[in-house]
Structure formats: structure tokens, C-alpha cells
Amino acid sequence: MVSTLHSCARRWAPLALAVFALSGCLHDDDDDDVSGGGGTGTAVSATQACATLTGKTIAGAVVATAATVAASGAEPVYCKVNATIAPQLNLEMRLPDQWNGKLYYGGGGGYNGSIPGLTGQNLAALQKGYATVNSDSGHQGSGLSASFALNDTHAANLFGSLSVPTVLSSAREMIQAAYGKAPDRSYFEGCSNGGREALMAAQRNPNLFDGIIARAPAYNWVGFMGQFNRTAKALAAPGGQFTQAKLALLSKGVRDACDAADGISDGVVGNPQACTFDPASLRCAGGTDTGDTCLSDAQLAVVNSWTSTASWAGGAYTNAGWALTGNEEDAGAWPAWVTGSGTVQNALQFLFQDTTVKYYLARDANANSLAYTWDSNLNAIYALAALNDATNTDLRPFKNSNAKLILWHGGNDAALSYKATTAYYQGVVTTAGGQSNADEFVRYYIAPGVNHCAGGPGADQVDLLEALDQWVSNGTAPGTLTATKASSGTTQFTRPLCPFPQYARYTGPANDAAAAAQASSYTCTSP
């Protein structure tokens, strides 16, 4: 959701790792060799691409700057192009020295408002030779603020669904001009709000991309934001807030009950379907807070708000709630997103629902979100859903365009619930006509112990772009993948990333730390 609801979290030290109709472009299957400058038959360098685009207006995009960036560290040589589509939709393209013939569109985060930097998946794609593009979605400002939506209908529509097809149309034409040919393949990858943008494209513009990766998608905007609001109220109630010690107590309770259900006690609950922990077992005697060795009734009410299904407008809008994972205490989990490390008004969930109430629902910058009833203005809820919800599970037009979709969600995501993504995937399977039909175009993975988009104690790094490209280009459907946990460039351990509903069960030798660190010691198993 800033680069997702995750790049917004760059403001917060605990989330350094987490961070937060225009053109229906058809898939291009042109297999010609990359040629430049009007078909000379020679490869186009980054410098030549810049020279071609400098000062041009292409498909409505006015190029402000086009400059060659020298290789530095992990960054290869590339042409950095900044352009604007009137009135204020800004985009940035990065054109590599040795183009692989494909385009990668990286999604935004939070309420967008800025162009994501050359890090993470954007950098990885450029390193592979993709031309990459990102945008600010049509307004400028903090990713924690929805103020643009109050009086700028065009900006609200661009953020909701129109910026991606608008930018892609211009990007393809700019690539055609720079390299002498259109991209052979176009892919989209995003996390959080970027994941919502991914599903929005699959639903509303099914011919736009050859393949899409939706990580931790914030697709259910009304539902997620509404539950953010409900949980913030529970935390703000007398006695509702958690100390770090109480979070540790809750986390340990879950791990003690559920960690070993995946064959190994390693601090991560890898088989959540087998977890039946009851938080009421931690209740203070009489329900009154007696310290950090138990949870009061007010704190258990927070847990209940967090885990139970939320519903509004007579059931027209719902959210599945979160699972207890055993890693709630992680700095990038509840402290950053839910409790605000003891001050609910500092929590990212609070901040997102607060700005949504102010600028979409109450339409009053001074509104008190903790006193606001989420569905008190049904017309405002309907309008918010029409703009930002990507809840349609009928992806048959996307399937019929021969496009592919990979869904991914971190199992310890305290920003957005993997249970909601599971519900979306199951809906896609149903509307596709069953599992075999869905398997032709969609895969879903849950990464145990991983926070929002990245971070946490689980294996958070996996090359989904390569898996998607192999599926689209060669027909090799992804199965079990390998995820990595690394620190300072050094691999700490690897794990299988299993297709849903399977989980990685430890089948290696007992009491062997070296074996436990290897993906080969685990087997994807049905729950």
C-alpha cells in the first residue's frame, strides 16, 4: 500500500526492510531482434536511447530529462527518463544498455504521490535487462496522505485505476522510439497498493500485460481500511494498548502452541492451518490488567478485532481478519502497523484509515476518525469502493488473453491480511470453473514469517519475475520455488516456497542446524 502500504514505512526505523480508459494495449508477440534508430540492426545503447528521447513528446508524455546514468554498485548503466503526462502524472523510465526486449512496470505504495526508487524488484528487473517504468499515479505528496482525493477527481481516478494503463501506453511508445521496436513482453509487479494496482489491471484491463505479480495486494480498500479503523478504536479504548512485553507474551503463546506443527521449532509457524491457539488462555484473572504476564479483557478485545471477520453495510463489505502468527512482536509487525509502539496515533494502520476517513468518507480534514462510524455514509463507502476496490474475482477475460498471474503474501504481514488474499484466490478458482482451470493461469504462495512485502524472521526473497517470465515465455508453470533469507548479502537460510495450500514441512535430520537451514530438508506437504 508507500514503495507500498510499504515504502511509506521507510519513515519508521522498524520498517526499514518493509520499506510501503485509456489504452487497452494488446500483448505484443513481436520476436524481431532488438534494433535501434529506425531499424539499423544494431543494438541501442543507453546513451543512444537518451539522445532519441530528449526533448520529445511521445504518446502524450512530455520528456523533461533523459540522461545516461553510469554504473554504480549494483546499478548497471541505464538511460533515466523523466516525463509528465498532463496535467501532473509523472513517470520515470530506466532504459538499460543491453535491453532484453521486455518491459517491467513496478507498482507504487500507500497513497503513492512519488516515484518509487531504483531498489528491490525495480533494481532486480533492470539488472536482468528489462526496461522499467514507475509513476507517482498522478499526484504529488506523502504516501500517508489521501488529501489529493478531496477536490481533485481526476487525481482520485488516476490513483484508483487509470494511471497504470495511461503510463503503460506512453511507455510502450517511448520504448518503440528509443529501441526501434515495441516490447515483446510486458509485466507488472507490485506489493501492497502496488498489488492492488496489479489486480486492478488484471480485472479492468485484462489485455494490458502478459503477466502480473501481485504481492500482498491491498485489493479490498474498503474492507482493509474499515478494519484498520475498528482495531484502532479498540486500541484507543481504556486499557486496550499493548506493551512490548505483552506482545512478546502473545507471540510466545502462539509459537508454543503452533510452531512445531511444521516439523520443526524454528520460531516461525509454518503450518498455520494447524494452529488452534486460543488467546483467551492468556486472560488475566477477572479480566483486569495485572501486568505483563497476562492480557486484560480490553487487550483481548483488540486481538478479537484483529482476528475476526469485519462487516459493514449489512454484509455488503467484509474483511477476513488476520491470523495470529507467533511473530506479532517483530518490530516490523504490530509495533509499526498496529500499536504504534504504544501510541496508536503513530501506527501505520491508524494513519491510513485516518486519512481515508478525512478525505474520502467524511470529506473533512478535521474529522476525528476514532469517532467516525465507518459505514455511516453509505454513498461515500460506495464511491470509495468504486474508485479503489479491486475485488472482482472473475479473471476469465485475463485468462482468455493468455496472461498469467502470481499471488504472493507474507505470513507475518501485519499491514494486510494474507487471509484476505487467500479468500480472493479461492474466489478466482471458483469463478474460473474449478482448480484445473485456475491452474492454467494463476499461482498463489504464502511466505511464512515474512512481514509486509519483506522483512520478518521468514525467507522473504524470491525471484517471482523469473518464474513469471518462464511461465509466459516458455509455458513452464511455476511449482515449488526457493525463498532466501539474507543479511548483508549473506544467505542465512533457504526454504521452499510452496504453492497454496501446501506448506513446507521439515523432513531432515533431527537436531541438525545445518540441515534446517537448507530448503532441501523440507517437503511441500498438504495440510
Side-chain angles (χ1 to χ4, degrees):
M1 274 173 95
V2 189
S3 158
T4 66
L5 273 165
H6 88 296
S7 70
C8 68
R10 292 173 188 162
R11 293 181 44 177
W12 303 84
L15 282 186
L17 290 176
V19 199
F20 93 23
L22 299 167
S23 172
C25 303
L26 298 174
H27 306 328
D28 189 324
D29 294 321
D30 184 357
D31 292 324
D32 295 342
D33 291 335
V34 176
S35 61
T40 63
T42 58
V44 175
S45 70
T47 299
Q48 290 170 321
C50 278
T52 299
L53 296 178
T54 296
K56 299 292 179 59
T57 298
I58 300 174
V62 179
V63 176
T65 60
T68 303
V69 179
S72 176
E75 296 182 9
V77 176
Y78 67 96
C79 171
K80 179 179 178 180
V81 182
N82 289 97
T84 299
I85 301 170
Q88 55 180 21
L89 173 54
N90 297 318
L91 65 92
E92 181 170 299
M93 292 194 67
R94 305 174 187 101
L95 306 177
D97 227 15
Q98 299 183 30
W99 184 41
N100 67 7
K102 302 166 189 174
L103 171 63
Y104 174 91
Y105 194 136
Y111 272 113
N112 292 340
S114 61
I115 294 173
L118 186 55
T119 60
Q121 278 74 41
N122 287 325
L123 176 58
L126 186 65
Q127 290 171 331
K128 291 174 181 287
Y130 285 84
T132 73
V133 65
N134 305 89
S135 88
D136 60 10
S137 82
H139 67 276
Q140 295 75 52
S142 167
L144 288 165
S145 175
S147 59
F148 65 92
L150 184 59
N151 297 310
D152 191 338
T153 300
H154 184 58
N157 278 282
L158 284 172
F159 173 80
S161 63
L162 298 185
S163 66
V164 170
T166 304
V167 168
L168 185 67
S169 178
S170 295
R172 288 172 59 87
E173 293 299 321
M174 293 167 75
I175 287 174
Q176 173 76 54
Y179 290 113
K181 71 183 297 277
D184 300 323
R185 299 281 185 261
S186 296
Y187 300 134
F188 186 99
E189 181 172 15
C191 191
S192 196
N193 179 51
R196 183 194 67 88
E197 292 172 334
L199 293 184
M200 191 69 83
Q203 293 166 27
R204 300 194 185 185
N205 306 100
N207 297 318
L208 208 59
F209 293 99
D210 298 282
I212 287 174
I213 300 165
R215 295 177 181 255
Y219 73 95
N220 183 16
W221 210 258
V222 169
F224 279 132
M225 292 293 180
Q227 198 150 8
F228 291 177
N229 176 266
R230 188 178 81 168
T231 300
K233 290 173 180 175
L235 277 159
Q241 186 56 268
F242 279 65
T243 64
Q244 187 63 26
K246 284 182 180 285
L247 282 183
L249 175 74
L250 176 63
S251 300
K252 184 178 184 300
V254 178
R255 291 196 303 271
D256 287 349
C258 306
D259 188 357
D262 58 1
I264 187 171
S265 294
D266 60 354
V268 171
V269 175
N271 182 11
Q273 296 94 327
C275 186
T276 58
F277 173 74
D278 182 1
S281 64
L282 301 176
R283 184 174 184 261
C284 298
T288 302
D289 197 338
T290 56
D292 289 335
T293 60
C294 61
L295 299 182
S296 69
D297 284 350
Q299 289 148 358
L300 288 172
V302 172
V303 176
N304 181 66
S305 176
W306 171 259
T307 57
S308 63
T309 299
S311 178
W312 304 273
Y317 299 96
T318 62
N319 189 56
W322 283 252
L324 292 172
T325 67
N327 299 119
E328 285 76 16
E329 65 187 315
D330 187 89
W334 274 45
W337 287 97
V338 185
T339 66
S341 296
T343 303
V344 65
Q345 289 83 359
N346 289 339
L348 290 166
Q349 283 198 0
F350 172 88
L351 293 170
F352 277 114
Q353 66 81 32
D354 186 65
T355 197
T356 303
V357 166
K358 285 177 166 63
Y359 298 111
Y360 279 100
L361 302 181
R363 304 193 67 78
D364 176 0
N366 296 312
N368 178 1
S369 61
L370 293 178
Y372 186 84
T373 300
W374 189 250
D375 55 359
S376 60
N377 183 341
L378 289 180
N379 286 335
I381 287 287
Y382 299 152
L384 176 61
L387 282 169
N388 294 347
D389 273 7
T391 53
N392 183 3
T393 59
D394 188 356
L395 297 185
R396 287 175 295 179
F398 181 78
K399 174 181 181 289
N400 292 340
S401 74
N402 294 318
K404 310 300 181 186
L405 170 66
I406 295 177
L407 294 163
W408 174 100
H409 210 123
N412 194 50
D413 190 337
L416 302 170
S417 172
Y418 78 77
K419 291 173 65 178
T421 301
T422 299
Y424 181 79
Y425 170 74
Q426 291 169 334
V428 170
V429 171
T430 298
T431 55
Q435 193 66 58
S436 61
N437 288 336
D439 284 346
E440 294 178 15
F441 75 101
V442 62
R443 290 291 186 276
Y444 174 39
Y445 299 91
I446 298 175
V450 177
N451 288 348
H452 186 53
C453 299
D460 61 345
Q461 299 177 30
V462 61
D463 192 346
L464 297 180
L465 180 59
E466 180 63 22
L468 180 67
D469 186 44
Q470 288 298 318
W471 197 4
V472 170
S473 298
N474 301 323
T476 305
T480 300
L481 305 176
T482 299
T484 300
K485 183 67 175 180
S487 177
S488 301
T490 301
T491 296
Q492 296 177 314
F493 58 86
T494 58
R495 290 286 188 276
L497 186 62
C498 304
F500 181 85
Q502 295 181 324
Y503 71 96
R505 184 170 187 84
Y506 184 68
T507 53
N511 303 315
D512 188 331
Q518 301 300 318
S520 58
S521 297
Y522 299 77
T523 303
C524 286
T525 305
S526 296

